[in-house]
Amino acid sequence: MRKRFFFILILLLFLSGAANALPSYDEVRQSYVKSDSLLLDQHGEVLYELRTDKVRRRLDWTSLKNISPALKEAVVKAEDKRFYEHAGVDYKSMGAAVIEGLTSESLRGASTITMQLASLLDRELQPKKERKSIWRKGGQVIKAWEIEKNWSKEVILETYLNLVTFRGELQGIAAASRGLFGKDPHGLDQSESLILASLIRSPNASSSELVKRVSHLNKVMDWQIGEEEIHSKVRQLFLGPNLPRPRADLAPHIARQLLKGRPHGYTVISTLYSQIQ
């Protein structure tokens, strides 16, 4: 099985020259579009935030420096504990997956953050019934190598956290943080970071499943968050609407009129003045 796996990787590497190259970081940033459009006053203050994309919820792109250190640490530990050591592929985890017979669970565990990012950037690498997991995994490996050659670890982690889905329609750390906990990403505490990191692997987990995942990660991190706090935060998540609250709610009728038919994430600067309005 091991020889077969690496033979396929070599074959894929040979054929990869004909494949479409992944976008650069700058191209990803330029193509990133929020799900909400904004109406600003004459001084640039937000008057109204109108959601126009009904499929997914994306907010502003968040730089890595504005993301809680606890969240970054928890995500790396949960998804790719040797993230800062490998060059896109964790051969130890990949070897373990080969030994386990390349089951879907072992394959998921062998995916590094860079490999997952490759899938987020290339739809052909996303799960499909007609394509066997081993072929998809091989494609992720090759694209992960490509990413690591041109991107820094910080840029990889930043892009990953802005594109990954945390729960339901909430895509990216800004939407997840505001939607689930009502705060910006820089303010996430340890218990909230554990929950968000646990949701990445299982975004539709039930309350009991999520508690188990969070408790396990808590022990791995040795953060010693109390079980009562974990249960309380998870319970709050399942009781809430899980929708980011708008930053401003002024002049809704004018906003809908001026933003109607505009592209997602569009911004209109009006002649209104928020203090007077």
Side-chain angles (χ1 to χ4, degrees):
M1 179 63 73
R2 185 192 298 264
K3 290 182 179 179
R4 179 187 173 194
F5 178 76
F6 284 107
F7 172 76
I8 291 175
L9 288 187
I10 293 173
L11 178 61
L12 283 169
L13 180 60
F14 177 75
L15 296 175
S16 63
N20 292 327
L22 291 175
S24 66
Y25 169 74
D26 289 337
E27 290 171 334
V28 173
R29 284 298 311 272
Q30 290 172 7
S31 64
Y32 181 86
V33 178
K34 300 187 299 180
S35 61
D36 295 29
S37 295
L38 298 178
L39 174 66
L40 307 182
D41 76 355
Q42 57 184 293
H43 299 294
E45 296 294 325
V46 178
L47 287 173
Y48 195 78
E49 193 172 21
L50 177 67
R51 180 179 180 181
T52 56
D53 187 342
K54 305 302 181 182
V55 177
R56 61 188 176 187
R57 200 68 192 275
R58 275 181 169 186
L59 300 184
D60 292 305
W61 184 280
T62 307
S63 64
L64 199 61
K65 65 180 181 180
N66 291 325
I67 298 176
S68 163
L71 187 278
K72 291 182 283 189
E73 187 178 350
V75 168
V76 169
K77 179 66 73 172
E79 291 299 308
D80 188 358
K81 60 185 178 182
R82 286 181 282 271
F83 173 67
Y84 292 103
E85 302 170 20
H86 62 65
V89 181
D90 186 341
Y91 295 104
K92 292 182 180 179
S93 296
M94 191 67 71
V98 172
I99 293 173
E100 291 178 21
L102 293 176
T103 64
S104 59
E105 185 62 29
S106 66
L107 281 171
R108 180 65 177 83
S111 291
T112 64
I113 285 175
T114 315
M115 291 168 66
Q116 292 179 53
L117 176 59
S119 292
L120 293 171
L121 297 177
D122 187 346
R123 292 184 178 180
E124 291 299 316
L125 299 179
Q126 296 173 6
K128 294 180 181 179
K129 293 182 179 179
E130 65 272 15
R131 177 177 293 182
K132 293 183 178 180
S133 296
I134 190 171
W135 285 95
R136 189 174 66 252
K137 190 62 60 177
Q140 289 177 358
V141 167
I142 292 168
K143 294 302 182 181
W145 287 338
E146 179 184 329
I147 291 173
E148 293 270 352
K149 287 180 180 178
N150 302 297
W151 298 29
S152 69
K153 289 289 186 181
E154 289 71 23
V155 167
I156 291 171
L157 185 58
E158 176 184 305
T159 306
Y160 175 75
L161 290 174
N162 278 279
L163 297 182
V164 72
T165 296
F166 285 88
R167 185 169 183 82
E169 62 180 11
L170 300 176
Q171 186 181 89
I173 186 58
S177 182
R178 279 181 55 190
L180 300 180
F181 300 112
K183 58 175 63 176
D184 290 324
H186 66 80
L188 293 166
D189 62 25
Q190 288 185 332
S191 60
E192 294 160 349
S193 296
L194 289 172
I195 291 173
L196 288 173
S198 299
L199 282 173
I200 291 177
R201 185 163 299 198
S202 187
N204 298 315
S206 65
S207 176
S208 58
E209 291 173 340
L210 183 56
V211 167
K212 290 180 181 178
R213 290 182 179 276
V214 172
S215 298
H216 174 71
L217 183 57
N218 184 34
K219 293 178 181 178
V220 172
M221 301 291 295
D222 193 26
W223 278 355
Q224 301 179 358
I225 305 299
E227 287 297 314
E228 183 177 341
E229 181 177 350
I230 291 175
H231 279 269
S232 176
K233 284 288 179 69
V234 171
R235 191 182 308 113
Q236 175 187 348
L237 184 152
F238 278 84
L239 290 175
N242 296 345
L243 296 173
R245 295 179 180 178
R247 287 175 289 179
D249 192 16
L250 298 173
H253 300 297
I254 296 177
R256 293 190 181 96
Q257 181 179 355
L258 294 178
L259 294 172
K260 183 179 180 180
R262 303 284 190 177
H264 300 320
Y266 198 84
T267 298
V268 170
I269 301 176
S270 68
T271 57
L272 298 174
Y273 181 37
S274 62
Q275 298 299 320
I276 298 177
Q277 196 67 27

